[in-house]
Amino acid sequence: QKEVEQDPGPLSVPEGAIVSLNCTYSNSAFQYFMWYRQYSRKGPELLMYTYSSGNKEDGRFTAQVDKSSKYISLFIRDSQPSDSATYLCAASPAGNNRKLIWGLGTSLAVNP
Amino acid sequence: GAVVSQHPSRVICKSGTSVKIECRSLDFQATTMFWYRQFPKKSLMLMATSNEGSKATYEQGVEKDKFLINHASLTLSTLTVTSAHPEDSSFYICSASSLTGGEQYFGPGTRLTVT
């Protein structure tokens, strides 16, 4: 079992839809959770960064972490064609070793 | 967010030659830098972790003599692919992290093609 599981999709939605992206993890030591967006042939871009459980909102993006169920979510409201990309979740434990454990990434297409 | 640059963005080299890729954190001090490799439509594969002033820690299966990593300052790390072969052709991406935060900021990547 991979430490971070993510459905690779692809996921296709119409413009304006609410998108829900999810990951599960198995390591209880994970404290930091991140969502990255990666466009084709580009480096990943950090979207959301969360410590421990809770919600975090930034514009159209909301990240949720539920440590009791080991579930990580990213919601995108009013999705736009420019949101079409691969979304990667990542987690790491606390401490000095900040090596990220990555999900496979979910490919999202927002259709105009 | 923090800015990380990577150079070159694309390089084509002949088999047997060496290629150096630079990774710079432009507006923060990166105590730790990471080097990844990514194959088409695949997730990121961590190659090594480097802390400023110390030897890099390589992931299992990554040849340290083939992929030389130097992290000489808090803003610069280099990856040298030595004696490159066609199977080394890939997308190489670096990321940088500061002491204060656990998040990693990525460079734009370098596409290496070995002919």
Side-chain angles (χ1 to χ4, degrees), chain A residues 60-79:
Chain A
R60 296 184 295 113
F61 299 91
T62 300
Q64 286 185 353
V65 176
D66 183 346
K67 294 193 73 182
S68 62
S69 60
K70 297 188 177 66
Y71 204 78
I72 315 164
S73 300
L74 178 71
F75 298 96
I76 307 175
R77 292 183 297 281
D78 187 25
S79 57

Side-chain angles (χ1 to χ4, degrees), chain B residues 21-51:
Chain B
I21 303 170
E22 288 188 353
C23 178
R24 293 181 184 272
S25 58
L26 299 184
D27 53 2
F28 70 103
Q29 293 189 325
T31 52
T32 307
M33 286 188 168
F34 303 84
W35 286 96
Y36 292 85
R37 185 173 179 176
Q38 188 175 36
F39 293 101
K41 299 192 178 182
K42 297 290 185 184
S43 190
L44 299 161
M45 185 189 82
L46 180 64
M47 298 174 67
T49 303
S50 73
N51 293 297

Side-chain angles (χ1 to χ4, degrees), chain A residues 18-33:
Chain A
I18 297 175
V19 176
S20 173
L21 302 165
N22 308 292
C23 291
T24 58
Y25 65 95
S26 57
N27 191 339
S28 299
F30 288 157
Q31 295 285 343
Y32 297 93
F33 304 93

